[in-house]
Amino acid sequence: MTSFQAALSTAKIIVILTGAGVSAASGIPTFRAAGGYWRTYESTSLATPQAFRKNPSRVWEFYHYRRDLVSQKQPNRAHFALAEFEKLRPNVHLITQNVDGLHAAAGSEPIEMHGSLFHVRCTSCGDEFEDRTNPICDSLAGKGAPDPDARDADIPLDLLPRHELCQRPVALTSSETGEKICIGGLLRPAVVWFNESLDPPVMNEIRVLLNRCDLLLVVGTSGIVYPAAGFASIVKSNGGKVAEFNLDPSEGADFDFVGPCEDLLPLALGVNV
Ligand code: BV8
Ligand code: ZN
């Protein structure tokens, strides 16, 4: 702890990367805990453009379930410790892989590199905006149960979330009347799915930070998902130091804090939350 705090006090540019483990204490299941399943599907198999193209109703049930769950949760001491530290120290930059919005709810201004559960994008006109309505459309009310034996709602395309103010409406057959209708584009969650590239400006901003960073804190991530999983080696290759906060020990870190980050972060950062 003392050698870490010495490094913390002399560091010029501190970058903090968080993953699902930072929200675990808020009651949000991590991506890979309990196998990371929703119903009988691996979460990672639903967070893809292919899954959305094949069955937008099932993917929207998955995201409605997560939006509904997160909307009932609060930030925990890990989020508040990071927000407090950012206030106390200049040149601290928070990058999160999480899409739950809890860092912002705790007062941080994170780079949300994988987007947000509460932002949507129109697949027809490309418009992107925040939408916190719950449910986001009537047809999803009461849907999204995560149990393995829960059945798909099979919501017809025209009753899934649609872009009301769409500049490029699409022609569809109404599932209710069978008539031809002109309707706003299908909305999708504005998150980065697997096999989708991150927004180039976001990646550029991150790259600049990592190249200048002399201390990287990696908090609550399994280090499986790229490009986030590659950040520690970038910092180390530039001579920076890496501190890991995880339930499991990690090789290769200069400082390794093993245990719940909601307990260890306030101590390590020297903040009272
Ligand atoms: C891309 C949004 C270019 C969606 C997410 C190189 C090698 C291999 C594969 C690839 C590669 N480069 C690219 C890939 C493909 C892929 C990838 O990495 N695949 C993995 C599975 C191998 N990457 C991509 O596709 C990325 N795009 O690279 O673009 C490109 C383009 C086309 C084709 C190829 C490449 C985009 C990845 C973004 C995916 N979207 N989220 C959504 O959320 O619905 S990622 C998703 O996983 C979440 O955001 C989550 O945060 C993230 C990472 O998971 P973790 O946060 O680490 O969570 P996890 O459950 O795994 O771990 C929790 C950890 O916390 C554990 O270690 C646990 O011990 C710890 N913990 C738990 N409780 C606590 C705790 N620690 C402390 N305290 C606690 N209390
Ligand atoms: Zn639109």
Side-chain angles (χ1 to χ4, degrees):
M1 183 68 92
T2 23
S3 59
F4 169 73
Q5 282 174 340
L8 198 65
S9 59
T10 54
K12 290 187 211 44
I13 308 273
I14 298 172
V15 174
I16 302 164
L17 169 69
T18 64
V22 86
S23 296
S26 297
I28 298 175
T30 65
F31 241 71
R32 287 165 188 84
Y37 279 81
W38 173 82
R39 292 189 184 161
T40 57
Y41 309 101
E42 275 196 66
S43 316
T44 47
S45 70
L46 292 166
T48 71
Q50 294 77 6
F52 188 68
R53 246 195 315 280
K54 188 168 149 241
N55 192 328
S57 169
R58 179 184 297 154
V59 173
W60 261 116
E61 279 202 87
F62 173 54
Y63 280 89
H64 165 64
Y65 161 71
R66 292 171 68 198
R67 287 163 57 100
D68 184 44
L69 178 84
V70 168
S71 63
Q72 298 158 48
K73 303 296 182 191
Q74 302 299 326
N76 65 66
R77 291 180 64 225
H79 297 108
F80 290 118
L82 292 170
E84 188 57 26
F85 184 64
E86 284 172 82
K87 270 191 231 129
L88 295 173
R89 279 291 295 267
N91 288 324
V92 174
H93 305 271
L94 178 60
I95 303 169
T96 188
Q97 299 174 85
N98 299 341
V99 295
D100 58 29
L102 289 187
H103 282 301
S108 288
E109 289 174 34
I111 297 175
E112 294 181 319
M113 63 183 285
H114 292 157
S116 163
L117 283 175
F118 300 104
H119 281 237
V120 289
R121 184 162 69 237
C122 176
T123 57
S124 179
C125 73
D127 202 12
E128 186 165 325
F129 50 95
E130 182 175 28
D131 182 327
R132 287 186 170 274
T133 49
N134 184 16
I136 187 169
C137 65
D138 296 346
S139 63
L140 280 166
K143 301 290 188 300
D147 327 297
D149 51 3
R151 296 175 56 76
D152 280 350
D154 290 330
I155 300 168
L157 262 181
D158 60 314
L159 300 181
L160 283 172
R162 309 296 310 195
H163 183 202
E164 265 162 52
L165 307 175
C166 195
Q167 303 301 317
R168 292 179 57 190
V170 295
L172 267 189
T173 308
S174 158
S175 58
E176 288 160 336
T177 63
E179 311 270 305
K180 273 264 170 263
I181 52 172
C182 196
I183 188 171
L186 175 64
L187 291 173
R188 58 162 279 181
V191 296
V192 180
W193 277 327
F194 288 96
N195 300 324
E196 285 188 324
S197 300
L198 277 72
D199 293 344
V202 170
M203 257 335 277
N204 292 337
E205 186 184 3
I206 290 174
R207 216 172 270 116
V208 166
L209 286 174
L210 293 177
N211 288 333
R212 294 171 50 217
C213 157
D214 46 7
L215 180 61
L216 172 70
L217 276 61
V218 180
V219 187
T221 178
S222 57
I224 293 170
V225 175
Y226 283 83
F231 290 1
S233 41
I234 294 173
V235 170
K236 288 181 85 81
S237 67
N238 293 333
K241 296 257 184 260
V242 175
E244 278 265 1
F245 291 77
N246 200 297
L247 296 180
D248 307 324
S250 56
E251 308 93 50
D254 300 283
F255 312 99
D256 195 18
F257 293 88
V258 183
C261 59
E262 60 276 16
D263 299 335
L264 292 176
L265 266 178
L267 291 173
L269 298 178
V271 290
N272 275 325
V273 289

